Amino acid sequence: MVCSLEGKLLVGNLERSARKAAAWLVEKRPVRDIRDWGISFSLWPVHFTTACCGAEFAASAAPKYDAERLGFLPFIGIRQCNLLFIEGTLSKKMAEAAIWVYEQMPEPKFVVGMGACAIDGGIFWNSYNIVRPMDILPVHVFIPGCPPRPEAVAQAIIMLQRKIRRGELVRYETR
Amino acid sequence: MISSGERELELLIGPQHPASGHMRLVAKVDGDVVVELRPNIGYVHRSVEKLAEVKKYLQIIPLVERPSLADTTANNLAYVMALEKLLGIEPPERAKYLRTLLAEINRIHSHLYGLGIHGVMIGSSTAYMWCFGDREPFLELAQELTGARLTYSYIIPGGVRRDLPAGLGERAERVLRYMENRMRDYFNLYFNNPVVRARLEGVGVLSRHDAINLGITGPNLRASGVAYDVRRAEPYAAYPELEFDIVTEEAGDSFARVMVRVREIVESMRIIRQVIRKIPEGPILHESYEKLIPPKLRESMKQRGMVKFPSVFANLRVPPGEAISRVEGGRGEVVFHIVSDGKLSPYRMRMVTPSFRNVILFEHLTRGVRVADIPAIYGSLDYFPPEADR
Amino acid sequence: MRLDDLRKEIEEKLNGLGAEVSSKDPNLIEVRVGRDKLVEAASKLREMGLDHVKAVTGIDYPKERFEVVYITSSYSDSLSHFLVNLRVSLPYDDPRIPSLVRVWPSVLYQEQEEKDLLGIEFEGNPRMEERLLLPDSYDGIPPLRKEFKVRVEGIDA
């Protein structure tokens, strides 16, 4: 393909080259650091309550603990969110929905497993109707507790932010 | 999907939606009008009843608390009361008052939770922020009494786990006075707000006859004018000695259901004041269990005002038989039916929670309403899916 | 009203249905009827003012019988203190029972749950074909039956 740009002649696929250049640039310092810093302070969890830890999750977004000061805003639309909180037990019926929700979220996306049940079933470890989240989703941070206190939720957010800023989690694939 | 010639559209709401919803509502809509709505529950079914059959009696206390995390005391108390009926013991007076105290603190913060979530559903974030913010002082009180924010496991067979901490009375009084002042703000901003009234009044009307017929329970029942409260019908804990009114409303609509909760908060505050004034001195654990504790440990526990789960409880054996207990929790009546065969775990434990009994309202109240009214009705039921699914 | 009075009233009302009525302090009355007389007995109790069902418990005694207990009570001031258990035994290999949803609409979901988790068929309940709590794809023995084992804690758990 030959494109004409302000009178100059360019040879090759311009779109592909631009994509390649952007992908190269966004993985280079300092652009990468700025990008990760930006992502780490705009973590929007999707409103997806899987079990009873949702009560403490709601409390952590409420005035006393105010997770919004960490750039953490529970939001309705899946397509605008980049964080999935597994709030407690994941039943078999809910696991299906969790995968749908996860797949609809845009990249880069993160998963936090909240509560003992999200780690290894917790008090319901031998129940016939639960799924361990790490079997079906890539979980980045676990929060122990039954239920975890809102402080622990804030701690998890900070841990996730650090992980993102260290550049461990965000990878753009060149397509 | 609309196929040619059909007017009805099937609308799936959930399980991912802005409300506190771990359930799916399957609505058939004709334009903006709901023709039929079916709740599809089971998204948080964790088989509490089955797991209870393989756990020891004391291990079940935390298990029954988990399904209704915002209202744990009711389940805890109902379960322990059923056990006590089988064991044939009666807790000491002071323990009864402490149980009442925690139950009422729990009722207040459970109602505030419900009101807050309702606020989110009808698009009033202020209500959510206020209710959840004002819930915290009560959680702090409960935390001081029991050591946990939500999952107290405070009530054990024959008594309670901790004594009243010194100075809790004054701090409770401060919290109550704060809440009373806030109540005025709530009315000004929220309950007397014309927008809120327009969204809630006359929406989802449940008649008295239907409420009784469908076996509805809790504030949803009392909002339809039925003065039924387990605290009166079959008094337990310290309620026979306390003065309180059963709050009822006549209208039966969403606003009435919200109002019942608000007025119950005021009643609960009245009960807390009485408990703190009238609480008798004495032991907090039944003497037959107290004497099983080694004397040295017993002394130190008396001094610290705490009961550790003594090892004697680990192999608690309950005589064969059946017991049914009921307790008025924040959302309504909790019923436990325990069948014991004299072993270390119950043979069968049936746990019927208020949310499960109120599920039927989703299909009953939403027939013929507008789609935008679904959240206004859903929220006013104070429905908590994990509690219904168990 | 006293417990004994209520018991006598129920005994009179259910006369001829072969019901065994017993009472237990402080407020519990047990009524045991046969499967074929269940609907009739339930209607009689409903006429007395027992207007709702608090719980439907199914109990599994393996190889022996199933028991279904309807815990009923009333919202009226005079009766709300009492609980009346309506109890039916079913043969183990034929767990069918007429549904009481016409008598007490409040049992709709409770019966569906017992069918879902315990496999007792309530004939006449419109929700018998649907799953309630278990996933739609669940296929196996109903989990609340005793033959369904869950893992337990132990050295080799």
Side-chain angles (χ1 to χ4, degrees), chain B residues 216 233 322 347-348 350 363, chain C residues 58 60 75 81 87 109 146:
Chain B
I216 307 308
E322 291 192 20
Y347 187 76
R348 172 86 164 95
R350 176 80 171 140
E363 51 185 291
Chain C
D60 170 20
Y75 284 144
H81 180 63
R87 192 180 284 265
Y109 279 88
K146 291 287 172 190

Side-chain angles (χ1 to χ4, degrees), chain A:
Chain A
M1 197 171 90
V2 177
C3 308
S4 161
L5 199 71
E6 290 174 11
K8 285 174 192 159
L9 215 61
L10 287 173
V11 181
N13 187 334
L14 180 65
E15 201 192 318
R16 208 173 66 200
S17 311
R19 254 175 209 277
K20 244 181 168 169
W24 175 82
L25 186 66
V26 89
E27 289 292 342
K28 284 283 166 286
R29 280 199 163 134
V31 179
R32 191 182 75 191
D33 293 348
I34 296 170
R35 178 202 73 193
D36 288 346
W37 175 84
I39 292 172
S40 74
F41 285 108
S42 42
L43 292 172
W44 287 19
V46 59
H47 256 300
F48 180 66
T49 326
T50 61
C52 49
C53 281
E56 285 297 63
F57 178 79
S60 68
K64 191 175 175 196
Y65 297 98
D66 192 17
E68 208 174 315
R69 71 205 142 97
L70 304 168
F72 179 84
L73 177 71
F75 202 72
I76 300 159
I78 307 173
R79 310 267 171 168
Q80 283 80 30
C81 293
N82 57 0
L83 179 57
L84 178 64
F85 250 79
I86 303 294
E87 294 158 17
T89 330
L90 205 54
S91 69
K92 280 183 182 159
K93 219 167 160 181
M94 197 57 129
E96 242 170 83
I99 292 172
W100 284 349
V101 168
Y102 182 74
E103 281 174 353
Q104 287 184 61
M105 282 167 23
E107 295 276 353
K109 50 193 171 187
F110 316 101
V111 182
V112 175
M114 180 177 177
C117 300
I119 298 174
D120 198 25
I123 196 167
F124 301 104
W125 67 278
N126 50 355
S127 167
Y128 53 79
N129 202 31
I130 66 156
V131 172
R132 282 156 180 75
M134 58 197 176
D135 294 344
I136 56 166
L137 294 169
V139 185
H140 297 118
V141 177
F142 286 108
I143 317 174
C146 190
R149 295 175 60 90
E151 292 97 324
V153 177
Q155 176 67 25
I157 299 166
I158 294 169
M159 272 170 75
L160 183 63
Q161 287 176 339
R162 282 201 193 122
K163 252 180 148 176
I164 293 169
R165 283 203 296 273
R166 278 205 303 268
E168 290 170 13
L169 299 183
V170 185
R171 286 271 179 280
Y172 285 101
E173 285 167 20
T174 42
R175 290 189 187 123

Side-chain angles (χ1 to χ4, degrees), chain B residues 38 41 50 53 212-214 216 228 233-234 322 324 326 333 337 347-348 350 357 363 390, chain C residues 24 27 46 51 54 56-58 60 75 80-81 87 106 109-110 113 127 132 143 145-146 148:
Chain B
R38 272 286 186 84
I41 63 173
K50 182 72 188 178
E53 288 172 14
I212 292 173
N213 232 355
L214 298 174
I216 307 308
Y228 172 80
E234 192 189 339
E322 291 192 20
I324 300 166
R326 46 179 170 161
E333 185 179 37
H337 181 190
Y347 187 76
R348 172 86 164 95
R350 176 80 171 140
R357 280 170 64 186
E363 51 185 291
R390 286 152 290 153
Chain C
K24 197 172 140 194
N27 61 349
R46 168 90 213 217
D51 47 27
K54 290 193 190 299
V56 179
T57 316
D60 170 20
Y75 284 144
S80 65
H81 180 63
R87 192 180 284 265
S106 42
Y109 279 88
Q110 304 230 10
E113 190 202 353
R127 302 284 164 83
L132 182 71
R145 292 214 179 165
K146 291 287 172 190
F148 184 100

